[in-house]
Amino acid sequence: ENREDMLSSKSNKLTEALEEANKLFSGVSCAREAALDAQFLVLASNLGKEKANELHSEMTAFDSPAFAEDLLTFMGLNRIEVEEKDSDNEGFSGGYLPSNAWHKLGAETEKYFRRAPSFHYMLGSFKSEPPVPRQRIERQKKATGREEKRAMPAQLKKMEESHQEATEKEVERILRLLQTHFKNDPDLPISFFDLVIDPNSFARTVENIFHVSFIIRDGFAQIKLDEDKLPIIEPVQHHEGREEDRSNLARNQAVISLSHQEWK
């Protein structure tokens, strides 16, 4: 209702309204009252923005010729009368600046700029010399793969060979046991878990499953399911054990989950 009066530059009604709203806000207890206060703040901020836009500054515009004239006077311009040579120089006042004019201007403007501190040597100055070029050290080229293979430590190579030989011997031993048991009683199925589980060692059980997997992979034995859906293992017959027959034999791979609790 008092919009025009509030926008007047000579009126303080907008300030008085803000002060009154500030006092009323201390008694706000309901959400509706707080919403009305927020709505009033939006309206007051818009009125304040319009009021600020209508303000006119009394400052005059920057006059560059007057500034240049004052600057030349400060620098000590020595004015002399110069005859007008042509119409282009009409209205131009000539003169000469003293030799220290720019130094005087620099000394005055230096006060208004921040300068970095100058660098001083703690133990006096020294003559800077270019750094001495460092000699480039050529690195030896890496040996080829064959040389690295030949340079393999004999002890480590022997260890790898012994581990591989031990695995092969253990696989052959289990295969012989399996073939002997099946030969003595071919009608009695051999339980896979009875073959691989060591009742006294869980780690040994895992190793047995690992070794039996090679026998299955190479086609020397096969795993089936009995009537109770439990795995049984039996060696492949001699006529099926030939290399060409084993290569054509369909093989299935599976992952066995055996926890320590299940092993117990």
Side-chain angles (χ1 to χ4, degrees):
E1 295 176 356
N2 302 326
R3 178 184 181 88
E4 299 298 332
D5 295 339
M6 287 186 176
L7 292 178
S8 177
S9 59
K10 299 179 181 180
S11 175
N12 294 327
K13 289 188 177 182
L14 181 59
T15 305
E16 295 174 357
L18 287 171
E19 293 176 354
E20 183 180 357
N22 193 24
K23 294 178 182 179
L24 294 176
F25 183 73
S26 60
V28 170
S29 59
C30 300
R32 178 57 182 168
E33 297 172 353
L36 289 175
D37 181 77
Q39 185 178 0
F40 166 75
L41 287 179
V42 174
L43 180 61
S45 61
N46 292 333
L47 291 175
K49 181 180 178 182
E50 293 182 16
K51 188 173 182 179
N53 292 333
E54 292 180 0
L55 293 177
H56 298 284
S57 176
E58 300 296 333
M59 296 180 60
T60 58
F62 177 73
D63 190 359
S64 56
F67 175 75
E69 190 71 19
D70 294 340
L71 188 62
L72 290 174
T73 303
F74 173 79
M75 295 171 66
L77 179 67
N78 183 16
R79 301 179 182 278
I80 59 173
E81 295 182 359
V82 180
E83 296 181 358
E84 298 180 357
K85 295 182 179 180
D86 50 25
S87 60
D88 294 338
N89 293 332
E90 185 177 356
F92 176 77
S93 58
Y96 295 97
L97 288 174
S99 58
N100 64 337
W102 289 106
H103 293 283
K104 184 178 180 181
L105 177 62
E108 180 65 22
T109 55
E110 187 180 10
K111 305 175 184 178
Y112 306 100
F113 292 92
R114 292 184 178 181
R115 297 181 58 191
S118 58
F119 181 77
H120 299 280
Y121 295 100
M122 297 180 64
L123 301 177
S125 61
F126 60 91
K127 295 181 180 180
S128 59
E129 297 179 357
V132 180
R134 298 177 59 182
Q135 295 182 356
R136 184 176 180 181
I137 302 177
E138 295 184 359
R139 297 182 179 180
Q140 296 181 355
K141 296 181 178 180
K142 294 184 179 180
T144 59
R146 294 181 179 178
E147 294 179 356
E148 289 181 355
K149 191 174 181 179
R150 283 199 295 265
M152 187 176 183
Q155 185 177 2
L156 181 60
K157 185 176 181 181
K158 184 178 181 181
M159 185 184 303
E160 291 182 353
E161 292 178 353
S162 62
H163 180 71
Q164 184 177 0
E165 291 176 359
T167 302
E168 293 177 355
K169 290 180 180 178
E170 188 65 19
V171 172
E172 293 175 358
R173 186 183 70 85
I174 295 176
L175 179 59
R176 287 197 302 269
L177 290 174
L178 181 63
Q179 291 174 346
T180 302
H181 184 81
F182 187 79
K183 184 178 181 181
N184 295 334
D185 194 354
D187 297 329
L188 181 63
I190 304 172
S191 173
F192 174 77
F193 292 114
D194 290 344
L195 176 68
V196 298
I197 289 180
D198 187 340
N200 301 320
S201 174
F202 177 72
R204 183 64 179 171
T205 301
V206 175
E207 290 181 358
N208 291 338
I209 297 175
F210 173 71
H211 293 143
V212 171
S213 65
F214 287 100
I215 301 175
I216 303 300
R217 183 199 65 178
D218 296 336
F220 290 104
Q222 57 183 352
I223 294 180
K224 298 179 180 180
L225 296 178
D226 59 5
E227 297 177 355
D228 299 327
K229 301 298 181 181
L230 294 176
I232 58 175
I233 184 171
E234 61 180 17
V236 178
Q237 299 297 332
H238 294 288
H239 61 85
E240 296 178 353
R242 292 179 298 179
E243 189 67 28
E244 59 272 11
D245 293 336
R246 290 200 306 269
S247 60
N248 296 328
L249 185 63
R251 304 168 192 172
N252 297 323
Q253 292 180 334
V255 178
I256 297 178
S257 175
L258 182 66
S259 64
H260 194 270
Q261 186 67 24
E262 293 172 343
W263 168 77
K264 285 184 177 182

